[in-house]
mmCIF file of all heavy atoms in Angstrom:
data_model
loop_
_atom_site.group_PDB
_atom_site.id
_atom_site.type_symbol
_atom_site.label_atom_id
_atom_site.label_comp_id
_atom_site.label_asym_id
_atom_site.label_seq_id
_atom_site.Cartn_x
_atom_site.Cartn_y
_atom_site.Cartn_z
ATOM 1 N N ASP A 1 -5.462 6.086 11.411
ATOM 2 C CA ASP A 1 -5.588 7.036 12.509
ATOM 3 C C ASP A 1 -4.289 7.814 12.629
ATOM 4 O O ASP A 1 -3.425 7.717 11.762
ATOM 5 C CB ASP A 1 -5.984 6.326 13.815
ATOM 6 C CG ASP A 1 -4.979 5.268 14.238
ATOM 7 O OD1 ASP A 1 -3.766 5.409 13.919
ATOM 8 O OD2 ASP A 1 -5.385 4.310 14.906
ATOM 9 N N CYS A 2 -4.155 8.572 13.687
ATOM 10 C CA CYS A 2 -3.007 9.471 13.763
ATOM 11 C C CYS A 2 -1.704 8.756 14.088
ATOM 12 O O CYS A 2 -0.670 9.408 14.164
ATOM 13 C CB CYS A 2 -3.282 10.589 14.761
ATOM 14 S SG CYS A 2 -4.362 11.820 14.019
ATOM 15 N N SER A 3 -1.736 7.460 14.284
ATOM 16 C CA SER A 3 -0.464 6.779 14.494
ATOM 17 C C SER A 3 -0.081 5.889 13.324
ATOM 18 O O SER A 3 1.084 5.817 12.964
ATOM 19 C CB SER A 3 -0.481 5.981 15.800
ATOM 20 O OG SER A 3 -1.546 5.058 15.792
ATOM 21 N N ARG A 4 -1.061 5.176 12.708
ATOM 22 C CA ARG A 4 -0.675 4.225 11.666
ATOM 23 C C ARG A 4 -1.713 4.113 10.555
ATOM 24 O O ARG A 4 -2.892 4.406 10.748
ATOM 25 C CB ARG A 4 -0.463 2.832 12.263
ATOM 26 C CG ARG A 4 0.620 2.847 13.345
ATOM 27 C CD ARG A 4 1.215 1.490 13.621
ATOM 28 N NE ARG A 4 2.089 0.985 12.578
ATOM 29 C CZ ARG A 4 3.312 1.433 12.329
ATOM 30 N NH1 ARG A 4 3.821 2.434 13.004
ATOM 31 N NH2 ARG A 4 4.043 0.892 11.377
ATOM 32 N N LEU A 5 -1.206 3.664 9.402
ATOM 33 C CA LEU A 5 -2.059 3.250 8.288
ATOM 34 C C LEU A 5 -1.818 1.756 8.109
ATOM 35 O O LEU A 5 -0.674 1.331 7.966
ATOM 36 C CB LEU A 5 -1.667 3.992 7.007
ATOM 37 C CG LEU A 5 -1.686 5.518 7.064
ATOM 38 C CD1 LEU A 5 -1.166 6.097 5.751
ATOM 39 C CD2 LEU A 5 -3.080 6.040 7.363
ATOM 40 N N GLU A 6 -2.897 0.962 8.152
ATOM 41 C CA GLU A 6 -2.724 -0.486 8.100
ATOM 42 C C GLU A 6 -3.760 -1.134 7.198
ATOM 43 O O GLU A 6 -4.858 -0.622 7.021
ATOM 44 C CB GLU A 6 -2.849 -1.102 9.501
ATOM 45 C CG GLU A 6 -1.740 -0.684 10.427
ATOM 46 C CD GLU A 6 -1.832 -1.346 11.809
ATOM 47 O OE1 GLU A 6 -2.865 -1.958 12.129
ATOM 48 O OE2 GLU A 6 -0.846 -1.232 12.552
ATOM 49 N N GLY A 7 -3.391 -2.298 6.681
ATOM 50 C CA GLY A 7 -4.299 -3.086 5.865
ATOM 51 C C GLY A 7 -3.519 -4.180 5.170
ATOM 52 O O GLY A 7 -2.456 -4.602 5.628
ATOM 53 N N TRP A 8 -4.049 -4.626 4.051
ATOM 54 C CA TRP A 8 -3.344 -5.630 3.269
ATOM 55 C C TRP A 8 -3.636 -5.422 1.786
ATOM 56 O O TRP A 8 -4.612 -4.771 1.425
ATOM 57 C CB TRP A 8 -3.713 -7.050 3.709
ATOM 58 C CG TRP A 8 -5.154 -7.442 3.496
ATOM 59 C CD1 TRP A 8 -6.174 -7.285 4.394
ATOM 60 C CD2 TRP A 8 -5.731 -8.023 2.327
ATOM 61 N NE1 TRP A 8 -7.347 -7.748 3.849
ATOM 62 C CE2 TRP A 8 -7.112 -8.218 2.586
ATOM 63 C CE3 TRP A 8 -5.222 -8.414 1.094
ATOM 64 C CZ2 TRP A 8 -7.972 -8.761 1.639
ATOM 65 C CZ3 TRP A 8 -6.088 -8.966 0.151
ATOM 66 C CH2 TRP A 8 -7.446 -9.138 0.432
ATOM 67 N N ALA A 9 -2.749 -5.953 0.947
ATOM 68 C CA ALA A 9 -2.915 -5.876 -0.502
ATOM 69 C C ALA A 9 -2.220 -7.075 -1.126
ATOM 70 O O ALA A 9 -1.126 -7.456 -0.683
ATOM 71 C CB ALA A 9 -2.332 -4.579 -1.051
ATOM 72 N N LYS A 10 -2.855 -7.648 -2.133
ATOM 73 C CA LYS A 10 -2.303 -8.834 -2.779
ATOM 74 C C LYS A 10 -2.696 -8.816 -4.246
ATOM 75 O O LYS A 10 -3.852 -8.603 -4.585
ATOM 76 C CB LYS A 10 -2.891 -10.081 -2.104
ATOM 77 C CG LYS A 10 -2.737 -11.377 -2.902
ATOM 78 C CD LYS A 10 -1.478 -12.111 -2.504
ATOM 79 C CE LYS A 10 -1.376 -13.500 -3.111
ATOM 80 N NZ LYS A 10 -0.897 -13.537 -4.483
ATOM 81 N N ASP A 11 -1.700 -9.040 -5.095
ATOM 82 C CA ASP A 11 -1.962 -9.183 -6.520
ATOM 83 C C ASP A 11 -1.990 -10.676 -6.843
ATOM 84 O O ASP A 11 -1.000 -11.362 -6.606
ATOM 85 C CB ASP A 11 -0.875 -8.480 -7.339
ATOM 86 C CG ASP A 11 -1.243 -8.377 -8.807
ATOM 87 O OD1 ASP A 11 -1.735 -9.382 -9.363
ATOM 88 O OD2 ASP A 11 -1.036 -7.314 -9.400
ATOM 89 N N PRO A 12 -3.105 -11.188 -7.360
ATOM 90 C CA PRO A 12 -3.195 -12.628 -7.621
ATOM 91 C C PRO A 12 -2.215 -13.125 -8.678
ATOM 92 O O PRO A 12 -1.978 -14.326 -8.771
ATOM 93 C CB PRO A 12 -4.637 -12.814 -8.130
ATOM 94 C CG PRO A 12 -5.347 -11.550 -7.854
ATOM 95 C CD PRO A 12 -4.331 -10.469 -7.693
ATOM 96 N N ASP A 13 -1.639 -12.211 -9.464
ATOM 97 C CA ASP A 13 -0.781 -12.639 -10.566
ATOM 98 C C ASP A 13 0.651 -12.946 -10.154
ATOM 99 O O ASP A 13 1.428 -13.456 -10.945
ATOM 100 C CB ASP A 13 -0.743 -11.555 -11.654
ATOM 101 C CG ASP A 13 -2.130 -11.274 -12.202
ATOM 102 O OD1 ASP A 13 -2.869 -12.244 -12.416
ATOM 103 O OD2 ASP A 13 -2.463 -10.101 -12.385
ATOM 104 N N THR A 14 1.025 -12.608 -8.938
ATOM 105 C CA THR A 14 2.411 -12.784 -8.531
ATOM 106 C C THR A 14 2.472 -12.971 -7.026
ATOM 107 O O THR A 14 1.575 -12.537 -6.301
ATOM 108 C CB THR A 14 3.266 -11.555 -8.948
ATOM 109 O OG1 THR A 14 4.592 -11.735 -8.461
ATOM 110 C CG2 THR A 14 2.710 -10.257 -8.391
ATOM 111 N N SER A 15 3.533 -13.610 -6.555
ATOM 112 C CA SER A 15 3.724 -13.729 -5.105
ATOM 113 C C SER A 15 4.565 -12.578 -4.574
ATOM 114 O O SER A 15 4.814 -12.479 -3.379
ATOM 115 C CB SER A 15 4.397 -15.070 -4.773
ATOM 116 O OG SER A 15 5.642 -15.125 -5.433
ATOM 117 N N LEU A 16 5.033 -11.700 -5.467
ATOM 118 C CA LEU A 16 5.821 -10.543 -5.031
ATOM 119 C C LEU A 16 4.949 -9.592 -4.212
ATOM 120 O O LEU A 16 3.732 -9.550 -4.396
ATOM 121 C CB LEU A 16 6.360 -9.801 -6.254
ATOM 122 C CG LEU A 16 7.408 -10.564 -7.058
ATOM 123 C CD1 LEU A 16 7.635 -9.903 -8.410
ATOM 124 C CD2 LEU A 16 8.707 -10.642 -6.279
ATOM 125 N N PRO A 17 5.577 -8.825 -3.311
ATOM 126 C CA PRO A 17 4.778 -7.878 -2.511
ATOM 127 C C PRO A 17 4.115 -6.828 -3.401
ATOM 128 O O PRO A 17 4.716 -6.344 -4.351
ATOM 129 C CB PRO A 17 5.797 -7.227 -1.570
ATOM 130 C CG PRO A 17 7.107 -7.825 -1.859
ATOM 131 C CD PRO A 17 6.986 -8.799 -2.980
ATOM 132 N N THR A 18 2.894 -6.503 -3.059
ATOM 133 C CA THR A 18 2.152 -5.484 -3.794
ATOM 134 C C THR A 18 2.518 -4.112 -3.238
ATOM 135 O O THR A 18 2.583 -3.926 -2.036
ATOM 136 C CB THR A 18 0.634 -5.734 -3.645
ATOM 137 O OG1 THR A 18 0.344 -7.020 -4.183
ATOM 138 C CG2 THR A 18 -0.177 -4.688 -4.375
ATOM 139 N N ARG A 19 2.778 -3.169 -4.144
ATOM 140 C CA ARG A 19 3.068 -1.806 -3.703
ATOM 141 C C ARG A 19 1.775 -1.031 -3.552
ATOM 142 O O ARG A 19 0.887 -1.116 -4.388
ATOM 143 C CB ARG A 19 3.992 -1.130 -4.705
ATOM 144 C CG ARG A 19 5.403 -1.673 -4.547
ATOM 145 C CD ARG A 19 6.293 -1.307 -5.679
ATOM 146 N NE ARG A 19 6.411 0.125 -5.875
ATOM 147 C CZ ARG A 19 7.264 0.655 -6.735
ATOM 148 N NH1 ARG A 19 8.057 -0.095 -7.425
ATOM 149 N NH2 ARG A 19 7.329 1.959 -6.886
ATOM 150 N N VAL A 20 1.699 -0.284 -2.450
ATOM 151 C CA VAL A 20 0.516 0.528 -2.155
ATOM 152 C C VAL A 20 0.956 1.987 -2.098
ATOM 153 O O VAL A 20 1.922 2.324 -1.413
ATOM 154 C CB VAL A 20 -0.120 0.103 -0.815
ATOM 155 C CG1 VAL A 20 -1.292 1.017 -0.454
ATOM 156 C CG2 VAL A 20 -0.574 -1.360 -0.876
ATOM 157 N N GLU A 21 0.254 2.837 -2.831
ATOM 158 C CA GLU A 21 0.545 4.268 -2.826
ATOM 159 C C GLU A 21 -0.493 4.998 -1.990
ATOM 160 O O GLU A 21 -1.677 4.667 -2.021
ATOM 161 C CB GLU A 21 0.533 4.831 -4.252
ATOM 162 C CG GLU A 21 1.680 4.314 -5.100
ATOM 163 C CD GLU A 21 1.686 4.902 -6.506
ATOM 164 O OE1 GLU A 21 0.658 5.470 -6.946
ATOM 165 O OE2 GLU A 21 2.720 4.794 -7.168
ATOM 166 N N ILE A 22 -0.022 6.003 -1.254
ATOM 167 C CA ILE A 22 -0.866 6.797 -0.366
ATOM 168 C C ILE A 22 -0.965 8.223 -0.924
ATOM 169 O O ILE A 22 0.057 8.839 -1.223
ATOM 170 C CB ILE A 22 -0.243 6.880 1.048
ATOM 171 C CG1 ILE A 22 0.173 5.508 1.555
ATOM 172 C CG2 ILE A 22 -1.167 7.618 2.007
ATOM 173 C CD1 ILE A 22 -0.935 4.606 1.950
ATOM 174 N N TYR A 23 -2.195 8.714 -1.039
ATOM 175 C CA TYR A 23 -2.439 10.079 -1.512
ATOM 176 C C TYR A 23 -3.366 10.794 -0.539
ATOM 177 O O TYR A 23 -4.173 10.159 0.128
ATOM 178 C CB TYR A 23 -3.099 10.071 -2.900
ATOM 179 C CG TYR A 23 -2.204 9.559 -3.995
ATOM 180 C CD1 TYR A 23 -2.110 8.198 -4.258
ATOM 181 C CD2 TYR A 23 -1.447 10.429 -4.771
ATOM 182 C CE1 TYR A 23 -1.282 7.718 -5.264
ATOM 183 C CE2 TYR A 23 -0.621 9.966 -5.778
ATOM 184 C CZ TYR A 23 -0.538 8.606 -6.020
ATOM 185 O OH TYR A 23 0.278 8.143 -7.006
ATOM 186 N N ARG A 24 -3.270 12.136 -0.507
ATOM 187 C CA ARG A 24 -4.116 12.930 0.368
ATOM 188 C C ARG A 24 -5.484 13.194 -0.259
ATOM 189 O O ARG A 24 -6.394 13.649 0.399
ATOM 190 C CB ARG A 24 -3.449 14.270 0.697
ATOM 191 C CG ARG A 24 -4.211 15.021 1.795
ATOM 192 C CD ARG A 24 -3.800 16.461 1.954
ATOM 193 N NE ARG A 24 -2.494 16.632 2.506
ATOM 194 C CZ ARG A 24 -1.432 17.021 1.799
ATOM 195 N NH1 ARG A 24 -1.530 17.271 0.510
ATOM 196 N NH2 ARG A 24 -0.266 17.165 2.367
ATOM 197 N N ARG A 25 -5.628 12.930 -1.529
ATOM 198 C CA ARG A 25 -6.901 13.153 -2.235
ATOM 199 C C ARG A 25 -6.907 12.162 -3.397
ATOM 200 O O ARG A 25 -5.922 11.490 -3.615
ATOM 201 C CB ARG A 25 -6.980 14.597 -2.735
ATOM 202 C CG ARG A 25 -5.825 14.966 -3.644
ATOM 203 C CD ARG A 25 -5.846 16.439 -4.023
ATOM 204 N NE ARG A 25 -4.591 16.781 -4.689
ATOM 205 C CZ ARG A 25 -3.494 17.186 -4.037
ATOM 206 N NH1 ARG A 25 -3.507 17.291 -2.718
ATOM 207 N NH2 ARG A 25 -2.400 17.470 -4.693
ATOM 208 N N PRO A 26 -8.009 12.084 -4.136
ATOM 209 C CA PRO A 26 -7.985 11.167 -5.281
ATOM 210 C C PRO A 26 -6.809 11.490 -6.200
ATOM 211 O O PRO A 26 -6.532 12.659 -6.462
ATOM 212 C CB PRO A 26 -9.325 11.429 -5.971
ATOM 213 C CG PRO A 26 -10.212 11.953 -4.892
ATOM 214 C CD PRO A 26 -9.312 12.733 -3.968
ATOM 215 N N ARG A 27 -6.130 10.456 -6.641
ATOM 216 C CA ARG A 27 -4.935 10.640 -7.462
ATOM 217 C C ARG A 27 -5.285 11.258 -8.807
ATOM 218 O O ARG A 27 -6.279 10.901 -9.419
ATOM 219 C CB ARG A 27 -4.281 9.286 -7.702
ATOM 220 C CG ARG A 27 -3.044 9.368 -8.538
ATOM 221 C CD ARG A 27 -2.459 7.997 -8.850
ATOM 222 N NE ARG A 27 -1.316 8.158 -9.736
ATOM 223 C CZ ARG A 27 -1.420 8.198 -11.066
ATOM 224 N NH1 ARG A 27 -2.595 8.068 -11.648
ATOM 225 N NH2 ARG A 27 -0.341 8.379 -11.796
ATOM 226 N N VAL A 28 -4.445 12.187 -9.243
ATOM 227 C CA VAL A 28 -4.540 12.703 -10.608
ATOM 228 C C VAL A 28 -3.281 12.286 -11.350
ATOM 229 O O VAL A 28 -2.221 12.102 -10.740
ATOM 230 C CB VAL A 28 -4.716 14.243 -10.640
ATOM 231 C CG1 VAL A 28 -6.061 14.638 -10.062
ATOM 232 C CG2 VAL A 28 -3.601 14.932 -9.886
ATOM 233 N N ALA A 29 -3.387 12.115 -12.654
ATOM 234 C CA ALA A 29 -2.268 11.615 -13.455
ATOM 235 C C ALA A 29 -1.014 12.449 -13.219
ATOM 236 O O ALA A 29 -1.073 13.676 -13.184
ATOM 237 C CB ALA A 29 -2.647 11.627 -14.930
ATOM 238 N N GLY A 30 0.100 11.791 -13.034
ATOM 239 C CA GLY A 30 1.374 12.469 -12.869
ATOM 240 C C GLY A 30 1.669 12.900 -11.445
ATOM 241 O O GLY A 30 2.784 13.328 -11.153
ATOM 242 N N GLU A 31 0.701 12.792 -10.566
ATOM 243 C CA GLU A 31 0.919 13.209 -9.181
ATOM 244 C C GLU A 31 1.763 12.177 -8.440
ATOM 245 O O GLU A 31 1.621 10.978 -8.650
ATOM 246 C CB GLU A 31 -0.442 13.365 -8.483
ATOM 247 C CG GLU A 31 -0.326 13.875 -7.061
ATOM 248 C CD GLU A 31 -1.684 13.995 -6.379
ATOM 249 O OE1 GLU A 31 -2.691 13.638 -6.991
ATOM 250 O OE2 GLU A 31 -1.713 14.455 -5.239
ATOM 251 N N ARG A 32 2.650 12.658 -7.583
ATOM 252 C CA ARG A 32 3.477 11.746 -6.801
ATOM 253 C C ARG A 32 2.781 11.413 -5.490
ATOM 254 O O ARG A 32 2.199 12.282 -4.868
ATOM 255 C CB ARG A 32 4.843 12.375 -6.520
ATOM 256 C CG ARG A 32 5.605 12.705 -7.796
ATOM 257 C CD ARG A 32 7.084 12.948 -7.576
ATOM 258 N NE ARG A 32 7.759 11.878 -6.867
ATOM 259 C CZ ARG A 32 8.094 10.700 -7.411
ATOM 260 N NH1 ARG A 32 7.782 10.433 -8.663
ATOM 261 N NH2 ARG A 32 8.732 9.796 -6.701
ATOM 262 N N PRO A 33 2.860 10.153 -5.061
ATOM 263 C CA PRO A 33 2.214 9.788 -3.797
ATOM 264 C C PRO A 33 2.948 10.375 -2.603
ATOM 265 O O PRO A 33 4.143 10.672 -2.687
ATOM 266 C CB PRO A 33 2.305 8.255 -3.786
ATOM 267 C CG PRO A 33 3.457 7.931 -4.674
ATOM 268 C CD PRO A 33 3.520 9.020 -5.710
ATOM 269 N N LEU A 34 2.235 10.536 -1.482
ATOM 270 C CA LEU A 34 2.892 10.945 -0.234
ATOM 271 C C LEU A 34 3.835 9.841 0.234
ATOM 272 O O LEU A 34 4.859 10.108 0.851
ATOM 273 C CB LEU A 34 1.846 11.189 0.857
ATOM 274 C CG LEU A 34 0.968 12.416 0.707
ATOM 275 C CD1 LEU A 34 -0.073 12.454 1.806
ATOM 276 C CD2 LEU A 34 1.814 13.690 0.746
ATOM 277 N N ALA A 35 3.455 8.597 -0.036
ATOM 278 C CA ALA A 35 4.278 7.458 0.372
ATOM 279 C C ALA A 35 3.944 6.270 -0.512
ATOM 280 O O ALA A 35 2.827 6.157 -1.008
ATOM 281 C CB ALA A 35 4.020 7.104 1.835
ATOM 282 N N THR A 36 4.941 5.417 -0.711
ATOM 283 C CA THR A 36 4.732 4.132 -1.374
ATOM 284 C C THR A 36 5.244 3.063 -0.429
ATOM 285 O O THR A 36 6.376 3.154 0.058
ATOM 286 C CB THR A 36 5.495 4.052 -2.710
ATOM 287 O OG1 THR A 36 5.075 5.121 -3.552
ATOM 288 C CG2 THR A 36 5.218 2.729 -3.417
ATOM 289 N N ILE A 37 4.408 2.072 -0.145
ATOM 290 C CA ILE A 37 4.796 1.031 0.802
ATOM 291 C C ILE A 37 4.640 -0.331 0.149
ATOM 292 O O ILE A 37 3.818 -0.500 -0.750
ATOM 293 C CB ILE A 37 3.952 1.111 2.093
ATOM 294 C CG1 ILE A 37 2.467 1.206 1.761
ATOM 295 C CG2 ILE A 37 4.377 2.260 2.957
ATOM 296 C CD1 ILE A 37 1.581 1.447 2.938
ATOM 297 N N LYS A 38 5.439 -1.267 0.590
ATOM 298 C CA LYS A 38 5.312 -2.640 0.098
ATOM 299 C C LYS A 38 4.521 -3.443 1.113
ATOM 300 O O LYS A 38 4.885 -3.491 2.288
ATOM 301 C CB LYS A 38 6.683 -3.264 -0.111
ATOM 302 C CG LYS A 38 7.334 -2.842 -1.399
ATOM 303 C CD LYS A 38 8.578 -3.659 -1.679
ATOM 304 C CE LYS A 38 9.143 -3.287 -3.043
ATOM 305 N NZ LYS A 38 10.435 -3.921 -3.283
ATOM 306 N N ALA A 39 3.450 -4.076 0.638
ATOM 307 C CA ALA A 39 2.631 -4.905 1.520
ATOM 308 C C ALA A 39 3.322 -6.263 1.649
ATOM 309 O O ALA A 39 3.122 -7.149 0.829
ATOM 310 C CB ALA A 39 1.222 -5.043 0.955
ATOM 311 N N ARG A 40 4.167 -6.394 2.667
ATOM 312 C CA ARG A 40 4.906 -7.642 2.834
ATOM 313 C C ARG A 40 5.013 -8.072 4.295
ATOM 314 O O ARG A 40 5.856 -8.888 4.648
ATOM 315 C CB ARG A 40 6.295 -7.520 2.206
ATOM 316 C CG ARG A 40 7.151 -6.435 2.805
ATOM 317 C CD ARG A 40 8.511 -6.418 2.141
ATOM 318 N NE ARG A 40 9.294 -5.289 2.598
ATOM 319 C CZ ARG A 40 10.270 -4.743 1.902
ATOM 320 N NH1 ARG A 40 10.599 -5.214 0.729
ATOM 321 N NH2 ARG A 40 10.937 -3.720 2.395
ATOM 322 N N ARG A 41 4.165 -7.504 5.144
ATOM 323 C CA ARG A 41 4.153 -7.934 6.551
ATOM 324 C C ARG A 41 3.448 -9.268 6.682
ATOM 325 O O ARG A 41 2.479 -9.543 5.987
ATOM 326 C CB ARG A 41 3.424 -6.907 7.415
ATOM 327 C CG ARG A 41 4.217 -5.625 7.601
ATOM 328 C CD ARG A 41 3.597 -4.790 8.668
ATOM 329 N NE ARG A 41 3.431 -5.565 9.894
ATOM 330 C CZ ARG A 41 3.177 -5.042 11.074
ATOM 331 N NH1 ARG A 41 3.011 -3.760 11.208
ATOM 332 N NH2 ARG A 41 3.039 -5.804 12.134
ATOM 333 N N LEU A 42 3.903 -10.065 7.631
ATOM 334 C CA LEU A 42 3.306 -11.367 7.884
ATOM 335 C C LEU A 42 1.871 -11.210 8.379
ATOM 336 O O LEU A 42 1.625 -10.479 9.336
ATOM 337 C CB LEU A 42 4.148 -12.109 8.921
ATOM 338 C CG LEU A 42 3.777 -13.562 9.174
ATOM 339 C CD1 LEU A 42 3.983 -14.384 7.912
ATOM 340 C CD2 LEU A 42 4.636 -14.116 10.300
ATOM 341 N N ARG A 43 0.932 -11.857 7.701
ATOM 342 C CA ARG A 43 -0.479 -11.821 8.090
ATOM 343 C C ARG A 43 -1.043 -13.241 7.956
ATOM 344 O O ARG A 43 -1.525 -13.623 6.902
ATOM 345 C CB ARG A 43 -1.243 -10.863 7.165
ATOM 346 C CG ARG A 43 -1.026 -9.391 7.479
ATOM 347 C CD ARG A 43 -1.753 -8.957 8.739
ATOM 348 N NE ARG A 43 -3.185 -9.155 8.648
ATOM 349 C CZ ARG A 43 -4.041 -8.238 8.199
ATOM 350 N NH1 ARG A 43 -3.625 -7.046 7.841
ATOM 351 N NH2 ARG A 43 -5.328 -8.508 8.146
ATOM 352 N N GLN A 44 -0.972 -13.994 9.046
ATOM 353 C CA GLN A 44 -1.439 -15.384 9.006
ATOM 354 C C GLN A 44 -2.952 -15.475 8.819
ATOM 355 O O GLN A 44 -3.475 -16.529 8.465
ATOM 356 C CB GLN A 44 -1.055 -16.105 10.307
ATOM 357 C CG GLN A 44 0.444 -16.127 10.576
ATOM 358 C CD GLN A 44 1.194 -17.141 9.710
ATOM 359 O OE1 GLN A 44 0.656 -17.687 8.762
ATOM 360 N NE2 GLN A 44 2.451 -17.380 10.050
ATOM 361 N N ASP A 45 -3.674 -14.375 9.083
ATOM 362 C CA ASP A 45 -5.133 -14.418 9.000
ATOM 363 C C ASP A 45 -5.658 -14.339 7.573
ATOM 364 O O ASP A 45 -6.846 -14.526 7.334
ATOM 365 C CB ASP A 45 -5.730 -13.269 9.827
ATOM 366 C CG ASP A 45 -5.251 -11.898 9.336
ATOM 367 O OD1 ASP A 45 -4.032 -11.738 9.112
ATOM 368 O OD2 ASP A 45 -6.088 -10.998 9.193
ATOM 369 N N LEU A 46 -4.784 -14.062 6.611
ATOM 370 C CA LEU A 46 -5.244 -13.921 5.229
ATOM 371 C C LEU A 46 -5.237 -15.283 4.524
ATOM 372 O O LEU A 46 -4.359 -16.099 4.780
ATOM 373 C CB LEU A 46 -4.348 -12.927 4.473
ATOM 374 C CG LEU A 46 -4.335 -11.511 5.037
ATOM 375 C CD1 LEU A 46 -3.344 -10.641 4.283
ATOM 376 C CD2 LEU A 46 -5.726 -10.882 4.980
#
């Protein structure tokens, strides 16, 4: 929504935080994301 983007992401192959890229449209090769975030917030519900 207009205040936040939220969710979760996990790669089963590693315990390292998963990076999530944000795009305004479907990604095309070579395009830079609007933002890259690390999914590393505490989520006890997962």
